[in-house]
Amino acid sequence: EGKSDGKPQQGGDLIAGSTGEPTLFNSLYSTDTASSDIERLIYNTLLDVNEKLEVKNQLADEVKESEDGLTFDVKLKEGVKFHDGEEMTADDVVFTYSIPMSDDYVGERGSNFKMIESVTKKGKYEVQFKLKKPDPYFYNVTLSSYGILPKHILKDVPISELGEHEFNRKNPIGTGPFKFKEWKEGQYVKVEAFDDYYAGRPHLDSITYKIIPDSNAALSQLQAGDVDYLVVTPGPDYKTAEKFNNVKMETDLGLNYTYIGWNEKNEL
């Protein structure tokens, strides 16, 4: 039960229902919502987009764009720690962005980096991006969608093998507000508060993503109080949840899209 004064409570485990099972926790390789929901807790991006679709700084302290729109100088926040205690620097940013720009990269995100000509370290906390041509997608999406990875852990892994590396499933390490604890396939994913998070330790002690593939079962668990949080889709599920007297409903905008991936090998 939440307190009525509107102030956040300290501690506790939030149980969130998820109808999708994640695949891995590395935003350069994942393509599903369940994975990216958890990635947002484990990792930080350089920029962030809020529900008003405004771009805000996250790991970046400042982004300066040249008049011709071809050069972006990014100044990073200092003293940001990875979950293993190592400091995040320009080396990690250059390392992360170089992966999908490589010919050896085999993930699905390569096209989001095609506009980048080069990414270079200009100082311990300074990175410069040069674009082939001006592209608004770079600032609005590419800088705000990909979690910064730890170079000191992954630098010796060949890029061609990175998508299958156990880091992505067994021990993902980022700079985000929560540390990866465990993933019991088909059951749940658990993350725990990161005490040294640069923006201050989260109020919650942990978040458990409970995997409930059937949306009717998920709604029943929400009504029974077995899950504290659930994203429901517009339509019948929303109308059902609206009638629950123990649930507070909120709606907001997201930078999301839905697509159908046709099987091009099928003659139909």
Side-chain angles (χ1 to χ4, degrees):
E1 287 296 306
K3 289 181 185 168
S4 58
D5 62 6
K7 288 185 180 150
Q9 281 179 256
Q10 276 306 121
D13 176 47
L14 179 84
I15 299 173
S18 174
T19 51
E21 166 107 36
T23 53
L24 56 90
F25 310 113
N26 181 332
S27 53
L28 294 177
Y29 293 92
S30 65
T31 56
D32 60 289
T33 311
S35 297
S36 61
D37 283 347
I38 294 159
E39 285 161 0
R40 277 196 280 270
L41 301 172
I42 299 174
Y43 299 102
N44 290 121
T45 48
L46 292 175
L47 299 175
D48 192 23
V49 179
N50 68 16
E51 65 279 0
K52 295 186 180 133
L53 305 185
E54 298 164 331
V55 179
K56 303 284 184 191
N57 290 340
Q58 200 167 84
L59 290 178
D61 210 21
E62 186 180 34
V63 179
K64 281 187 178 158
E65 180 182 354
S66 62
E67 276 190 40
D68 61 9
L70 291 175
T71 306
F72 287 79
D73 288 297
V74 179
K75 194 165 166 293
L76 300 171
K77 287 187 166 71
E78 298 183 23
V80 174
K81 294 265 177 40
F82 280 105
H83 297 152
D84 64 353
E86 291 284 324
E87 191 186 13
M88 189 256 346
T89 68
D91 289 327
D92 302 294
V93 176
V94 172
F95 171 76
T96 302
Y97 276 81
S98 298
I99 293 165
M101 291 168 63
S102 162
D103 291 340
D104 290 337
Y105 172 74
V106 290
E108 283 87 356
R109 301 297 184 185
S111 60
N112 295 351
F113 297 80
K114 283 273 188 282
M115 77 291 276
I116 303 173
E117 179 72 53
S118 64
V119 51
T120 23
K121 174 183 175 178
K122 291 289 179 186
K124 191 176 180 185
Y125 305 105
E126 289 168 51
V127 178
Q128 185 176 77
F129 292 90
K130 284 198 177 292
L131 306 192
K132 294 168 187 168
K133 58 180 196 295
D135 190 335
Y137 193 90
F138 170 75
Y139 180 76
N140 289 295
V141 182
T142 305
L143 287 183
S144 63
S145 302
Y146 299 97
I148 300 303
L149 300 167
K151 181 181 178 180
H152 65 280
I153 293 174
L154 297 172
K155 64 178 188 295
D156 297 328
V157 181
I159 289 174
S160 58
E161 295 168 25
L162 196 52
E164 296 301 317
H165 197 268
E166 63 172 16
F167 171 90
N168 302 330
R169 295 178 178 84
K170 299 263 195 298
N171 193 25
I173 285 177
T175 60
F178 290 87
K179 302 181 289 189
F180 177 78
K181 170 74 171 157
E182 65 179 331
W183 175 16
K184 289 227 165 160
E185 289 194 34
Q187 295 180 53
Y188 65 84
V189 178
K190 184 162 189 168
V191 294
E192 294 182 327
F194 178 38
D195 289 335
D196 289 331
Y197 184 50
Y198 79 89
R201 184 195 186 277
H203 297 294
L204 290 165
D205 290 333
S206 57
I207 299 177
T208 302
Y209 267 78
K210 198 172 177 185
I211 296 151
I212 316 161
D214 180 78
S215 67
N216 289 328
L219 284 167
S220 299
Q221 291 200 28
L222 180 69
Q223 187 175 24
D226 295 332
V227 298
D228 306 311
Y229 176 86
L230 183 70
V231 175
V232 293
T233 47
D237 285 359
Y238 187 88
K239 288 194 165 64
T240 303
E242 240 181 349
K243 298 189 179 92
F244 298 162
N245 57 15
N246 62 330
V247 171
K248 182 184 173 202
M249 303 287 281
E250 286 186 2
T251 63
D252 63 14
L253 288 168
L255 270 182
N256 309 320
Y257 60 87
T258 301
Y259 70 96
I260 299 174
W262 301 113
N263 178 0
E264 298 288 350
K265 292 173 184 164
N266 185 322
E267 62 184 30
L268 285 173

